[in-house]
């Protein structure tokens, strides 16, 4: 491979059954090796969801490596040589059963820099003296719990200030929602991650407006103007499952877009293009707003992606719009969240992590500020998902959001992705307390 592709910059091997990486794949630097190692330009190496049992020290022979993903493999140790990768900035080791339990905690919650520093210092094998000191400190902590109670109280206060999210495992759910992905999406928009979120309160004041504003900001920011990923949110009560993630030709795909009448996708895009031109003429600007900004994302596509319910109704047409049928309203209690991408599955998960965090923050803000219900006739925020007694002592963290796992399967029922898995929501763990 080094001879055939010496200028290789990204190597994407996730989701296979590889047992060795990179020792069996990358030739060691030395006699006959290329200057600067076998792959002098390789900056991105992804090998998540494999069966790799050992990460060889030859990884240090990659001088340009910036991003390494070996999550969900069978690694028990991480080589100290990782610390010698001069440009390594991002590394994902989650989902491996590491022998060093301290290191295992670090890979689930610490930044890459801290992990590399730990490996550079020798990690688990840092000598008997240090191990003995650590053991002595552990015994001392066990014998003197009261002496350190103030520190414990501080930790508890920090933990209490975090937002609380409870994950409902698929096995605990009597009627879990399932999304079946058809083979056709592979060539159009292959990646989708979904979950159900219960406990959001959109009724008081401007809660719904803030919720929609958060989506808009995420589309501009982490979703990179929808080029990396697209978010769709639905009222769970208005969805008929199971769902199918499919593709349809532009002249066959029909949807009732938000605030519009039912229309074919081909006609919707033509309509939006005409509106965009009219908008440009009126404002005498090059920039357009709203859905018009995203029309070019479908250029050259023979088929369009869509999420279809059990009645054959298209409820989502990414990256353009979702359906009026499942529109979020003030009285919506349970949400169905969907993130799609034509870039990567990890981007979908990162966006979903952030979306859940933002909704949790909105929920706390709503509960703490006790806004009125605005122009609605409902009496107050008590019509939300939980019966609170609106007093000054309300602790929002006592009322966690519940995230229900949703499986995405292929047409044969084989699992493609389950969200949230045990390795998800870790990117926002500093701000969330996740009960699994």
């Amino acid at each position: 491979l080094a001879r055939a592709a010496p200028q290789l910059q990204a190597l994407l091997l996730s989701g296979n059954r590889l047992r060795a990486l990179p020792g069996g794949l990358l030739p060691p630097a030395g006699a006959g090796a290329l200057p600067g190692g076998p792959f002098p330009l390789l900056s991105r190496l992804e090998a998540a969801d494999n069966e790799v049992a050992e990460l060889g020290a030859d990884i240090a022979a990659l001088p340009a490596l910036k991003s390494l993903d070996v999550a969900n493999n069978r690694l028990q140790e991480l080589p100290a040589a990782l610390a010698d990768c001069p440009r390594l900035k991002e590394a994902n080791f989650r989902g491996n059963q590491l022998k060093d339990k301290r290191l295992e905690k670090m890979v689930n919650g610490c930044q890459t820099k801290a992990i590399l520093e730990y490996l550079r210092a020798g990690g688990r094998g840092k000598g008997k003296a240090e191990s003995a000191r650590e053991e002595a400190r552990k015994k001392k902590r066990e014998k003197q719990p009261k002496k350190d109670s103030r520190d414990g109280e501080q930790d508890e206060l920090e933990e209490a200030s975090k937002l609380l999210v409870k994950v409902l495992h698929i096995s605990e759910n009597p009627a879990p929602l399932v999304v079946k992905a058809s083979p056709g999406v592979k060539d159009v928009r292959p990646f989708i991650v979904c979950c159900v979120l219960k406990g959001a309160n959109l009724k008081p004041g401007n809660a719904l407006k803030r919720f929609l504003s958060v989506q808009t900001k995420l589309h501009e920011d982490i979703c990179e103007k929808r080029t990396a990923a697209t978010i769709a949110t639905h009222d769970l009560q208005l969805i008929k499952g199971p769902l199918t993630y499919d593709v349809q030709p532009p002249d066959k795909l029909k949807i009732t877009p938000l605030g519009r009448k039912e229309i074919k996708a081909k006609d919707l895009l033509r309509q939006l293009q005409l509106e965009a031109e009219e908008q440009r003429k009126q404002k005498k600007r090059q920039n357009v707003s709203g859905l018009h900004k995203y029309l070019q994302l479908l250029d050259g596509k023979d088929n369009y992606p869509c999420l279809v319910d059990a009645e054959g109704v298209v409820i989502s047409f990414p990256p353009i719009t979702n359906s009026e049928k499942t529109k979020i309203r003030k009285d919506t209690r349970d949400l169905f969240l969907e993130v799609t991408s034509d870039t990567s599955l990890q981007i979908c998960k990162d966006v979903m992590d952030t979306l859940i965090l933002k909704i949790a923050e909105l929920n706390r803000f709503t509960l703490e500020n006790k806004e009125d219900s605005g122009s609605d006739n409902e009496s107050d925020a008590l019509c939300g998902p939980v019966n609170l007694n609106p007093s000054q002592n309300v602790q929002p963290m006592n009322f966690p959001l519940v995230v229900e796992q949703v499986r995405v399967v292929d047409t044969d029922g084989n699992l493609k992705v389950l969200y949230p898995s045990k390795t998800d929501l870790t990117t926002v763990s500093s701000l969330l307390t996740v009960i699994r």
Side-chain angles (χ1 to χ4, degrees), residues 236-247:
L236 181 68
Q237 303 304 317
L238 303 176
I239 288 178
K240 304 290 184 185
L243 302 174
T244 303
Y245 184 48
D246 203 358
V247 291

Side-chain angles (χ1 to χ4, degrees), residues 132-269:
R133 282 196 293 271
E134 180 62 32
E135 189 64 30
R137 283 195 292 267
K138 184 178 177 183
K139 288 181 179 179
K140 189 176 180 181
R141 286 196 300 270
E142 289 172 354
K143 287 181 179 179
Q144 298 175 322
K146 292 181 181 179
K147 187 175 180 181
D148 298 328
S149 61
R150 287 186 182 178
D151 293 339
E153 286 171 10
Q154 183 64 32
D155 291 343
E156 285 178 16
L157 284 171
E158 289 177 6
E159 195 65 27
S161 69
K162 287 187 182 182
L163 300 152
L164 200 59
V165 170
K166 181 177 181 357
V167 174
L168 185 69
H169 194 271
I170 203 93
S171 61
E172 302 173 74
N173 194 342
L177 198 57
V178 177
V179 177
K180 185 178 290 186
S182 72
V185 300
K186 182 180 179 182
D187 300 320
V188 179
R189 196 175 183 85
F191 307 106
I192 182 169
V193 165
C194 304
C195 70
V196 168
L197 188 69
K198 294 186 174 181
N201 186 7
L202 303 175
K203 191 175 289 290
N206 292 318
L208 177 59
K209 189 179 289 186
R210 282 194 295 271
F211 173 78
L212 298 174
S213 176
V214 158
Q215 278 183 249
T216 302
K217 288 177 181 175
L218 289 177
H219 272 143
E220 290 295 309
D221 184 15
I222 191 172
C223 295
E224 299 174 21
K225 300 186 187 300
R226 300 199 193 188
T227 57
T230 305
I231 299 165
T233 56
H234 309 266
D235 188 327
L236 181 68
Q237 303 304 317
L238 303 176
I239 288 178
K240 304 290 184 185
L243 302 174
T244 303
Y245 184 48
D246 203 358
V247 291
Q248 294 182 17
D251 57 345
K252 295 284 179 65
L253 196 162
K254 287 184 179 180
I255 187 170
T256 306
L258 295 169
R260 298 173 185 252
K261 294 181 179 179
E262 186 180 66
I263 190 172
K264 289 181 179 178
K266 178 181 69 173
D267 298 330
L268 173 63
L269 262 64

Side-chain angles (χ1 to χ4, degrees), residues 23 82 84 141 172 190 210 271 281 293 302 320 371 402:
L82 277 169
D84 298 327
R141 286 196 300 270
E172 302 173 74
R210 282 194 295 271
Q271 195 178 96
K281 289 176 184 176
K293 294 185 288 188
D302 295 327
I320 303 300
E371 296 174 299
V402 176

Side-chain angles (χ1 to χ4, degrees), residues 327-340:
K327 180 180 176 180
I328 303 288
R329 293 175 171 81
K330 271 185 171 284
D331 58 356
T332 297
R333 292 189 177 190
D334 302 334
L335 307 172
F336 176 72
L337 308 180
E338 157 211 342
V339 178
T340 59

Side-chain angles (χ1 to χ4, degrees), residues 33-80:
L34 297 175
F39 294 106
L41 301 181
L42 186 65
S43 63
R44 181 179 168 202
L45 176 57
E46 292 187 5
D49 303 301
N50 279 291
E51 299 173 9
V52 177
E54 184 180 357
L55 197 59
D58 297 331
I59 196 80
L62 297 172
L65 187 65
K66 292 182 181 178
S67 175
L68 173 66
D69 187 353
V70 285
N72 302 319
N73 275 282
R74 297 181 180 178
L75 298 175
Q76 293 186 327
E77 295 181 352
L78 299 180

